Amino acid sequence: MQYKGDSVDKAMQLKLYQRMLKPRLIEEKMLILLRQGKISKWFSGIGQEAIAVGVTSALRPDEYILPMHRNLGVFTTRNIPLHRLFSQWQGKSNGFTNGRDRSFHFGTQQYKIVGMISHLGPQLGVADGIALADLLKQNNKVTAVFTGEGGTSEGDFHEALNLAAVWNLPVLFCIENNGYGLSTPTNEQYRCENLADKGIGYGMESHIVEGNNILEVYSQVDFICQSMRKNPRPVLLEFRTFRMRGHEEASGTKYVPQQLLDAWEEKDPIANFENFLLKEKILSAHLIETFKNEIFAEIDYDLKKAFAENEIEVDETKELRDVYKNFDYQEINHKSITKNIRLIDAVSQGLKQSMERHENLVVMGQDIADYGGVFKITEGFVEAFGKDRVRNTPICESAVVSAAMGLSINGVKSVVEMQFADFVSTGFNPVVNYLAKVHYRWGEHADVVIRMPCGAGMGAGPFHSQTNEAWFTKTPGLKVVYPAFPYDAKGLLATSINDPNPVLFFEHKGLYRNIYQDVPEDYYTLPFGKASLLREGTDITVVSYGLGVHWALEALNGNPDIKADLIDLRTLQPMDMDAIFTSVKKTGKLIILQEDSLFGGVASDICALVVENCFEYLDAPIKRVASLETPIPFAKNLENNYLPKERFSQELLNLLSY
Ligand SMILES: Cc1ncc(C[n+]2csc(CCOP(=O)(O)OP(=O)(O)O)c2C)c(N)n1
């Protein structure tokens, strides 16, 4: 290995050596502890230390870095106290996740590190969002993110690089090409000669770097970062290295040819650099001994501290509380001037007023800028707020949701418009695994609202008509809002944007232009978890939300003799179960109407909760009325047959006469 000694000053060379030695010695100790059953899992970065250490050393301490599972050197170079890392790996409270997530699955704002989720790819889009926030703040910072070569096969890799290129985001994409993704060699992972060549396809500068050569890594990354700070842009780096141990310790390396391991052993980043430094007389045997003893002493001291720490205590209240960031709801009342507007106008007005109120709020979505979005909710927004804050995105839901997460990490609120709620499926992973879990896992929060134009009635077929709220109501960590009226839509959207937690905001397309209401012209908020009682009666309780509320109203208007409580839930997570219980205790009969197909829907859980809590008050079996157990069809008569509207009136009468 050739070292260009004059590329880095001598003091820094020594520092880089020490910084590589530390993760190596920690790992060697961890491998012993693993064999003794004192830690549960280990993903080794032995042989790859130069990349994590070199990149982190080239970054400024206030620049975010997003490491993967083999990047212990990132954490040690940022000087995280070792005992905290040890506690993290033992699931103790001095770690970073209160025992809720393992290994390197955590982040820390204090050290500007954002750890991975297991799914690998979303990390890259999160880096985009962090970098976008920096770009908007014009603070000339770089964000560095890691992926293995295996991770480059994920759609997230493509989406994140493309987004960064289109938006010119200062992200340093670092591929650690270490030869294997679990047991899969590179020739079964990709076909191109160099992964760096993919940069050309994205219109992005890219380089191949000798990943085991610390001076090459550090000096090249330092040079590139300095240039990126002056001239913000994404850069793709392919670091060539090798994975010297198994994917994780239990899986071994049987499938790796011995001559490959031998050849790369010769290129060990620490042994080679040590020899170079000795030859250059920058390092001496005595100094090596001193460095090692210092690190051993630190490891021993901090390990004792972590082992002495008690097991984490189970506190169920805290477990449940930490799923969401505390939100101190502020009731903001409106003045009396109102205007009769449609639901679509209410959403647009609510969003616009929130843009005025929150100067850092960014909205992102396909065709939302000059075109105004396919439903025209954001028409005129570019003129009012500029293209920095009203951002057209490429067609890449996963990267955009991940970027929204990154914006939030870097202090910027965002609203993402799904063109149709159906398309959230291509951004599903970051919604349910990143946004939903981040507060519970490491106390970070996802200040993101995802707007979901949803629902049936337009004969738009299986991919433009779904009402998919149940995909999200079952995931702890998300809030789900589903208004049926313009007044609620406007006030609840304002609250969704104020709430620092991730909110899925459902807007029924069938209600957009059909439902009018007198709506206050100025800004106001409405609370989550409060249903509205639209009708009062003693015979029966009708519970619904969204378009179902209007079907129920129509049925009740057509049968003026029926004395029913009609409850519009307005928010599904949190859900106002008290309103339902109070009503059922009064009427003794409950019918729940939902637009979605029946099984696993919101109605089923309401039904279960009422049985558990109000059984003795019931005078009849609870009835759930929902769509057929089929995908939603296109032809009008098929769609009408699929939807529960017609069946509802009959079921209502059946239950009343039970
Ligand atoms: C979406 C997803 N699919 C599969 C896995 C299982 N898995 C974890 S790491 C890994 C290999 C990753 O390879 P690479 O990106 O090259 O990183 P390396 O482990 O080599 O550092 C696999 C298949 C996962 N965590 N997430």
Side-chain angles (χ1 to χ4, degrees):
M1 204 174 299
Q2 291 290 312
Y3 288 99
K4 291 190 205 117
D6 52 359
S7 61
V8 180
D9 74 53
K10 289 180 180 164
M12 190 64 197
Q13 290 187 37
L14 263 190
K15 213 180 251 180
L16 290 170
Y17 170 73
Q18 280 177 284
R19 285 177 178 173
M20 284 199 295
L21 201 54
K22 194 164 180 179
R24 173 70 59 93
L25 298 184
I26 293 171
E27 271 215 43
E28 286 172 352
K29 183 73 184 177
M30 290 307 119
L31 294 178
I32 295 168
L33 294 181
L34 188 77
R35 268 174 243 130
Q36 294 171 349
K38 290 182 179 162
I39 54 170
S40 67
K41 215 168 179 77
W42 192 257
F43 296 91
S44 174
I46 284 181
Q48 302 180 214
E49 292 94 340
I51 302 165
V53 168
V55 172
T56 314
S57 298
L59 251 60
R60 296 184 183 150
D62 62 349
E63 290 176 323
Y64 281 97
I65 188 160
L66 292 83
M68 298 299 288
H69 47 295
R70 303 191 197 285
N71 298 134
L72 174 57
V74 168
F75 298 84
T76 51
T77 303
R78 283 265 158 111
N79 288 320
I80 293 189
L82 296 190
H83 72 92
R84 293 206 63 193
L85 291 176
F86 300 149
S87 290
Q88 165 64 22
W89 301 331
Q90 292 173 25
K92 292 181 171 173
S93 63
N94 272 339
F96 292 86
T97 62
N98 280 307
R100 292 167 186 163
D101 207 343
R102 68 185 195 192
S103 59
F104 293 103
H105 296 176
F106 68 92
T108 142
Q109 286 283 7
Q110 188 184 352
Y111 298 94
K112 292 280 178 282
I113 292 175
V114 177
M116 62 189 290
I117 67 167
S118 289
H119 302 69
L120 316 166
Q123 188 81 332
L124 299 152
V126 174
D128 282 355
I130 293 174
L132 173 59
D134 283 333
L135 198 66
L136 295 174
K137 295 178 203 167
Q138 299 185 336
N139 61 13
N140 302 91
K141 287 183 184 172
V142 170
T143 298
V145 61
F146 288 84
T147 175
E149 85 290 344
T152 67
S153 302
E154 287 191 68
D156 282 298
F157 175 80
H158 164 72
E159 290 193 12
L161 266 72
N162 187 55
L163 188 67
V166 172
W167 286 355
N168 218 22
L169 303 174
V171 181
L172 189 73
F173 292 101
C174 304
I175 305 171
E176 277 186 274
N177 190 344
N178 65 3
Y180 284 82
L182 215 153
S183 75
T184 304
T186 52
N187 64 349
E188 292 179 37
Q189 195 72 249
Y190 59 85
R191 262 298 152 91
C192 53
E193 194 180 339
N194 307 305
L195 285 169
D197 293 344
K198 297 202 176 200
I200 300 164
Y202 299 109
M204 188 185 293
E205 176 185 334
S206 64
H207 306 274
I208 296 173
V209 183
E210 197 183 348
N212 282 21
N213 184 329
I214 184 68
L215 294 187
E216 285 292 305
V217 174
Y218 174 72
S219 58
Q220 288 202 39
V221 174
D222 185 41
F223 180 77
I224 291 164
C225 286
Q226 288 190 37
S227 157
M228 285 170 72
R229 288 181 197 113
K230 285 198 202 95
N231 170 23
R233 66 186 188 282
V235 176
L236 175 64
L237 299 180
E238 178 184 356
F239 294 99
R240 294 280 167 79
T241 186
F242 202 72
R243 202 193 67 205
M244 299 303 295
R245 302 187 66 85
H247 168 65
E248 44 93 31
E249 285 309 305
S251 59
T253 52
K254 257 197 197 142
Y255 47 85
V256 183
Q258 190 56 44
Q259 60 269 37
L260 259 182
L261 287 167
D262 293 344
W264 279 95
E265 183 74 52
E266 295 288 304
K267 298 185 199 173
D268 183 85
I270 300 177
N272 277 286
F273 193 47
E274 191 176 279
N275 286 337
F276 167 77
L277 293 177
L278 286 168
K279 216 165 72 215
E280 294 290 308
K281 307 230 175 321
I282 298 171
L283 191 63
S284 63
H286 174 70
L287 208 50
I288 295 174
E289 203 58 25
T290 310
F291 287 160
K292 284 191 174 173
N293 285 339
E294 278 170 12
I295 298 170
F296 284 139
E298 188 183 347
I299 293 173
D300 283 348
Y301 183 83
D302 280 52
L303 258 181
K304 278 199 192 96
K305 206 164 166 175
F307 278 126
E309 198 186 328
N310 290 333
E311 294 290 306
I312 202 127
E313 271 179 36
V314 179
D315 177 348
E316 200 170 303
T317 312
K318 186 167 153 49
E319 288 302 289
L320 292 169
R321 192 186 58 211
D322 287 355
V323 173
Y324 296 96
K325 183 176 167 71
N326 182 45
F327 170 45
D328 192 10
Y329 169 71
Q330 303 284 322
E331 179 96 26
I332 299 176
N333 291 314
H334 47 78
K335 301 190 194 82
S336 54
I337 305 162
T338 60
K339 204 170 164 186
N340 197 255
I341 58 172
R342 303 167 301 177
L343 191 134
I344 195 163
D345 307 319
V347 172
S348 182
Q349 211 179 83
L351 186 57
K352 193 164 189 196
Q353 290 176 354
S354 286
M355 290 287 281
E356 287 158 1
R357 209 174 176 88
H358 301 283
E359 278 181 5
N360 73 348
L361 174 62
V362 168
V363 296
M364 304 187 282
Q366 288 152 32
D367 311 291
I368 67 158
D370 295 318
Y371 189 69
V374 292
F375 297 105
K376 304 296 170 198
I377 299 266
T378 52
E379 196 152 51
F381 276 41
V382 169
E383 289 73 29
F385 306 109
K387 275 202 160 177
D388 272 355
R389 294 181 61 202
V390 183
R391 307 186 74 90
N392 270 348
T393 72
I395 305 169
C396 53
E397 285 77 6
S398 188
V400 172
V401 174
S402 303
M405 181 70 240
L407 281 171
S408 177
I409 286 171
N410 207 354
V412 174
K413 270 182 185 297
S414 65
V415 172
V416 176
E417 175 176 304
M418 287 292 146
Q419 198 155 71
F420 286 81
D422 310 69
F423 303 145
V424 76
S425 50
T426 56
F428 193 66
N429 183 35
V431 177
V432 300
N433 284 317
Y434 214 129
L435 275 59
K437 297 175 178 34
V438 75
H439 193 261
Y440 178 73
R441 290 171 55 241
W442 57 279
E444 187 50 57
H445 65 282
D447 196 350
V448 179
V449 176
I450 302 180
R451 293 188 31 244
M452 303 277 280
C454 66
M458 270 110 343
F463 305 120
H464 288 79
S465 312
Q466 294 171 87
T467 181
N468 44 9
E469 66 281 3
W471 296 359
F472 304 100
T473 46
K474 84 141 277 95
T475 302
L478 300 175
K479 297 192 179 181
V480 180
V481 178
Y482 205 141
F485 293 94
Y487 175 79
D488 291 343
K490 185 175 166 185
L492 288 170
L493 182 59
T495 304
S496 302
I497 292 168
N498 291 340
D499 193 316
N501 294 287
V503 180
L504 278 291
F505 189 87
F506 285 82
E507 302 164 12
H508 201 291
K509 307 189 296 283
L511 303 178
Y512 265 163
R513 294 183 164 79
N514 290 333
I515 302 299
Y516 284 74
Q517 206 177 24
D518 285 344
V519 175
E521 286 196 325
D522 49 354
Y523 179 92
Y524 61 93
T525 58
L526 289 173
F528 288 174
K530 289 257 177 298
S532 79
L533 187 58
L534 299 177
R535 287 284 175 90
E536 282 193 64
T538 48
D539 296 346
I540 193 164
T541 301
V542 183
V543 172
S544 194
Y545 56 96
L547 181 57
V549 173
H550 298 277
W551 292 334
L553 274 171
E554 209 179 306
L556 293 173
N557 287 341
N559 292 282
D561 295 343
I562 301 175
K563 296 183 189 63
D565 267 2
L566 172 57
I567 295 175
D568 170 8
L569 291 170
R570 303 200 290 188
T571 68
L572 305 179
Q573 176 55 260
M575 191 183 282
D576 190 354
M577 285 311 299
D578 285 344
I580 300 174
F581 294 159
T582 305
S583 174
V584 168
K585 285 176 184 172
K586 178 179 75 176
T587 65
K589 288 184 177 175
L590 172 63
I591 185 164
I592 313 154
L593 173 59
Q594 96 188 0
E595 180 181 332
D596 193 9
S597 51
L598 185 64
F599 192 86
V602 167
S604 301
D605 268 289
I606 295 173
C607 179
L609 282 161
V610 170
V611 169
E612 283 168 17
N613 290 279
C614 306
F615 182 74
E616 59 273 34
Y617 295 90
L618 288 169
D619 297 327
I622 298 168
K623 187 67 197 170
R624 297 169 299 153
V625 186
S627 287
L628 293 187
E629 291 297 308
T630 68
I632 176 164
F634 158 61
K636 200 71 204 139
N637 58 347
L638 288 180
E639 189 189 46
N640 286 342
N641 180 62
Y642 163 86
L643 293 171
K645 181 180 174 188
E646 299 306 326
R647 289 189 294 279
F648 174 71
S649 301
Q650 189 53 52
E651 295 292 357
L652 182 66
L653 295 176
N654 291 350
L655 188 57
L656 277 163
S657 61
Y658 179 88

